[in-house]
Every structure is written in C-alpha cells, then in structure tokens.
Amino acid sequence: MAPVTAFGEEMYHLVERLYPLCRSITGDGVRATLEIVGEYLPLHVHEVPTGTQVLDWTVPQEWNIRDAYVADASGRRVVDFRASSLHVLGYSVPVSATMPLAELRPHLHTLPDHPSWVPYRTSYYKPEWGFCLSQETLDALPDGEYEVRIDSTLADGHLTYAEHVVPGQVADEVIVSCHVCHPSLANDNLAGIAVATFLARTLAEQRPYYTYRFLFAPGTIGAITWLALNAERVERVRHGLVLACAGDPGPLTYKRSRRGDAEIDRVLRHVLAASERPHRVTEFTPYGYDERQFCSPGFDLGVGSLTRTPYAGYPEYHTSADDLDFVSPRAMADTLAVCREAFGVLDRNRRYLNLSPYGEPQLGRRGLYDSLGGRSDAKQAQMAMLWVLNLSDGEHSLLDVAERSGLPFDTVAAAADALHGAGLLKA
C-alpha cells in the first residue's frame, strides 16, 4: 500500500480537475463532478425527481446554466461567468435585459472588506438573479447602460447524488459524507471530495470490519434526501464522519456528534491527541455541514465532522480566495492520514471477555512472553497484555484500555490479538 503522503499530489490533481466546474444543489455540474470522481471509484449514481417529498423538504427544480455576463456599451464583458462560476448568483433565474447601472446595482454582490475577492452567493429556494464581482470591479464601472444576460434554466429534473460502498466483514455501516454542491471553492469542499475519494480507495485495499458507505451529495437537501430514501439502512449506521474544508493550512478540528460521547467522538479525540498534532475538539452545534442532518433528533446518529479550519472560520471562506493556492497536497495528505488512523481504531475497537479471569493466567507457557523477545517495546507490549486481560470483562473496549493505561491503541490491539490467538480472550 502506498504511503499516505504519496496521495497528496493525486488529491490535489483531482481538486484541480474539479475546480472549474459550476456546481449547485442540482444540475449537470453535479453530474460532471461525479463523472470525474467515478474515474477513481465505482459509483452508484441516483437521480431523484423534482417534486419528490423527502422528510419535510421537496426536491427542487433542476438548475443549469450555459452562460452569463454583464457587458458595457462597447460589448466588453465586465462580469463574465466564463471566467469563474462564482460570478453568478447560484440558482439565478434567466435574464435578458438592458438596464442602467443604478437598476443593476441591487443585483450585484461584493465584499467591501476584501475588495479584490469575489463572494459566493446563492438563492436556492427563492426566485432571484444576480452577479458576484469584486468591489474593485464594481467601483470601476461608470454610469451607463449595461447588457445583462443569464442563460439558465429552472425546470423539472432531478437531484443527483452518488454512493460508493467498501464491503466489510459485517453489515453495520460507517458513513463518510461530503458535499458536492459548491462551485469553484477549492477547500470548501473540493478538498473534502478528494480526501473522501482516496480514503475509499485505501479502505478498499484492506478487509475492513465495518462496511463503509461514502456519500457524495449536495449539501442539506442531499443528505436529507438520502435519509428519507434509506430509512431501513439508517438502522445499520453505527458511526459516521462528515468531511469538509480538508485542505487548508490550519490545524485539524473535530466537531463532536450530537451525542457528544459516541464512539466516533472518542476515537477522533484519542487519535488526534495521540498524534500530538495541533488540533481542536469542539462541541456539537446544529449549524454547519451535514452532520446536523444525521444528528437531527429523530435520527441522532453518531456522526461527527472533521475539518481543518471550520466553516466560516477563515476569511477566504465562500470567496474566490478559496482557490487552488489556498489548499495543498500536504494538508490533504495529513487529513487523509488522520481519517485512516481513526478508522483503523474504529475497525479494531472490540470488547473481549477474559476466559481465565481468576488470577493472572500464565503467559510464559503459552509462548506469549517469548513472542516479545527482541522487541524494543517489549515492556510496553507486556503491560498491554496485562491491561487487556484485566479489563476484558465484556464491558470495556480496547479504546477504554488504551485510554486508561495510557498505552498506544496499536499496542493494545496487538496484545488483544495475541491473547485471542492463545485462547485467553473471547470476542
């Protein structure tokens, strides 16, 4: 298996390919995105018709756009969708008109505090149209007549999302979710898509204990649609992780599930602390990415969220400054490494029963001490065996053992494997 760092450049290349595409909560941009991801992973693509009732929501009309611009009297495009998909208010209704700048201004969105940046704005559920541009560009526009053109369609169609499943030894599932609805924003969430894609590929090279289901869906309405259409599968979900903002230079941040003490919460806290990486662990709030859908009270799934700098936590968030220079192969590789470490713990975290609980069993005659000969961590491995034997009462997990003993989880899991192989533990 290739080292995680080897995937950094490949993930960055995937982000580069996806960056120019105009994505929204529906439409051909989502399909084009999934088609590219499908070159890396086999995907099961779902098309859910407009008007489908999904929990308290309804699948909206599909939005597609071919071109859009604001042109001055000479015909020069002063705002041009072809230069960046951010230049159009997402889900803009079609427009073809000529109007003075005073009439156009209410439809122009800028960031006065960052005059060279272009904001990302949408109007999904309210018929509206508009353009996003830099404050510098707006300030340079003279009064006069402007041609305004948005060549878009809002029509009955479909909401598109995709799944990739890595089969496990058991039917119990771990969900990994990322959103595919943002246009040219490299960190939010193209880096999340890239990390999810390569996480799925690395898991497929193993034989994981859990079944891992990767969801590539538009934010909010996509997760709600999946939950509505998979009521019978939701019961199998044991753990989950929402990936976003996975490539910026900030330290990793884990946001706990609504439960606060779900196994995924404990695993991420342990892995991040043991790695000695700079990091933060924050409490759940019902605002953010799709963890809030999976953690809504009716479902209350054990799903947390892993980002580097969280949503709205960096100035470049939802602006043109969230570009290819803002993300790096190194940061994405680091996010991927933590995901792999966390799922490695999750997959091996078992509860065992000591089959010789009265007094300490004789390890020497079972060859367990001999197996430690020559190991640089022999003392640590021996202590791990004693801790596992002592806490294997059917109530404590290996993560409990690692946390209480202060020993590395990998050492504890290896000790459990050895004791199980010697017939001293029952899973």
Side-chain angles (χ1 to χ4, degrees), residues 378-392:
K379 181 64 175 177
Q380 190 178 66
Q382 179 184 338
M383 287 302 300
M385 287 188 186
L386 296 177
W387 271 108
V388 170
L389 284 168
N390 191 270
L391 292 180
S392 290

Side-chain angles (χ1 to χ4, degrees), residues 54-56 175 223-235 237 258-259 290-303:
V54 287
L55 305 181
D56 195 46
I175 284 181
I224 286 171
T225 298
W226 186 87
L227 286 164
L229 300 181
N230 290 273
E232 78 292 342
R233 181 168 286 121
V234 167
E235 297 179 357
V237 176
R258 177 179 181 268
R259 300 178 190 174
D290 283 330
E291 68 279 357
R292 69 187 196 271
Q293 311 307 332
F294 299 114
C295 292
S296 55
F299 295 109
D300 195 23
L301 299 175
V303 177

Side-chain angles (χ1 to χ4, degrees), residues 44 50 54 127 165 182-183 198 201 238 277 283 321 331 384 387 404 412 420 422:
H44 182 192
T50 296
V54 287
V165 176
H182 284 15
F198 280 81
R201 291 181 67 174
R238 296 293 175 265
R277 289 175 172 87
E283 296 303 318
W387 271 108
R404 186 164 176 180
V412 170
H420 184 265

